[in-house]
Amino acid sequence: MARQARQRVPEGPAPDPAVQKLRIRYTKRGRLRFTSSRDFQRALERALRRADVPMAFSAGFHPHPKISYANAAATGTGSEAEYFEISVTQRVEPESVRAALDEALPEGIDILQVVEAAPGALADRLEASDWLLEFAGVPLEVLEAAVAALMERDTAEVTRLTKSGPRTFDVRGSIVAARVLGPRDALDDTVTTHEVGTDCAILRMVVRHTTPAVRPDDILTALREIADLQPPRPPLVTRLAQGPLDTANVRVTDPLE
């Protein structure tokens, strides 16, 4: 007679239900750009406890706080527009959560905005990113020529090593717009207070989110292969915004609106 496996039932009361979901925008600045996703997740969970946020938890033998991350920037990439969602068991004032959580996190990981989540998935609203790449030691005309050569192409395929092996894909189709700027005119009043270096050529581009995701380093690979762009050191990469793509005005809008 086959032995029936006993079904284990978690002991103790069920977790309190979530009554509110919050969407949160934060930054990765300065040295904190080198924080990995796992490091940030650990720091965030500690900060939520210190800030006394009434977090909702999953059920089961290993309950964990209900946090959802969306399209995080790669380690080493700065950002003015990273997002996550949390669920809480008591209704809270978003601004009070923003202030308490910002105080509990290290400088460089700054909580810019907290709003109550609107219907629909946050990830579906993150359609494109606005990137700023600072090329120290690269003459403006050299970067201009390289970017022009890439933008003239209909396609530009690169190969990236993934967990399942090498994968070749087109990066040109994801670039909505690209322009080369000097430091003085790199930013305008529609963007954040991010400061750029004074001795660099700057590439600012709007890149559509695709599958697979086209990352700034993929575009750098294309620039190297197409135009032999060889910067003396890797550019400083910062995401200025991510959200819905306004194709009429070629800009990335606020996903929390």
Side-chain angles (χ1 to χ4, degrees):
M1 182 177 179
R3 181 182 299 174
Q4 277 191 325
R6 292 183 179 178
Q7 184 178 11
R8 298 177 62 194
V9 178
E11 297 179 357
D16 293 337
V19 300
Q20 186 182 27
K21 181 182 285 187
L22 302 174
R23 289 178 177 169
I24 300 172
R25 176 187 175 191
Y26 69 98
T27 70
K28 283 174 52 179
R29 295 171 174 161
R31 295 179 63 184
L32 272 297
R33 69 173 56 234
F34 298 104
T35 303
S36 70
S37 295
R38 183 164 294 184
D39 289 339
F40 171 73
Q41 290 168 13
R42 286 195 291 260
L44 175 61
E45 291 187 19
R46 290 194 298 268
L48 287 166
R49 290 194 295 270
R50 288 197 295 268
D52 201 25
V53 177
M55 291 295 300
F57 281 78
S58 63
F61 290 100
H62 303 287
H64 58 272
K66 290 188 174 182
I67 308 173
S68 175
Y69 301 93
N71 198 37
T75 303
T77 300
S79 181
E80 296 291 317
E82 299 297 286
Y83 295 92
F84 64 90
E85 292 180 318
I86 61 173
S87 296
V88 294
T89 57
Q90 303 170 26
R91 293 199 65 83
V92 296
E93 175 58 40
E95 176 55 25
S96 66
V97 172
R98 189 208 64 76
L101 195 54
D102 187 57
E103 180 67 24
L105 284 164
E107 184 178 355
I109 299 179
D110 302 322
I111 304 299
L112 298 183
Q113 191 176 5
V114 179
V115 302
E116 188 162 354
L122 173 60
D124 292 342
R125 296 186 58 78
L126 303 181
E127 299 174 344
S129 288
D130 187 350
W131 294 101
L132 194 76
L133 283 68
E134 302 172 53
F135 291 81
V138 174
L140 195 65
E141 61 273 13
V142 171
L143 183 58
E144 286 175 335
V147 172
L150 172 59
M151 297 302 289
E152 287 171 358
R153 298 286 191 97
D154 292 327
T155 60
E157 291 189 337
V158 301
T159 300
R160 184 205 301 162
L161 185 62
T162 68
K163 293 180 180 179
S164 57
R167 184 167 185 179
T168 300
F169 52 94
D170 172 47
V171 301
R172 174 61 187 89
S174 69
I175 304 174
V176 181
R179 54 195 175 116
V180 177
L181 306 165
R184 290 185 179 180
D185 57 357
L187 298 176
D188 55 41
D189 59 5
T190 64
V191 190
T192 68
T193 57
H194 173 77
E195 296 181 358
V196 299
T198 57
D199 181 26
C200 59
I202 293 164
L203 170 59
R204 186 168 172 187
M205 55 187 180
V206 173
V207 180
R208 192 188 308 271
H209 295 172
T210 57
T211 303
V214 172
R215 307 182 307 208
D217 55 304
D218 299 319
I219 295 172
L220 293 174
T221 298
L223 289 170
R224 182 176 63 249
E225 294 178 353
I226 291 171
D228 195 31
L229 181 67
Q230 303 280 356
R233 54 183 178 272
L236 194 64
V237 179
T238 303
R239 174 151 56 196
L240 297 176
Q242 63 171 325
L245 177 60
D246 178 356
T247 54
N249 298 296
V250 194
R251 67 187 185 95
V252 177
T253 59
D254 185 357
L256 301 187
E257 287 185 349

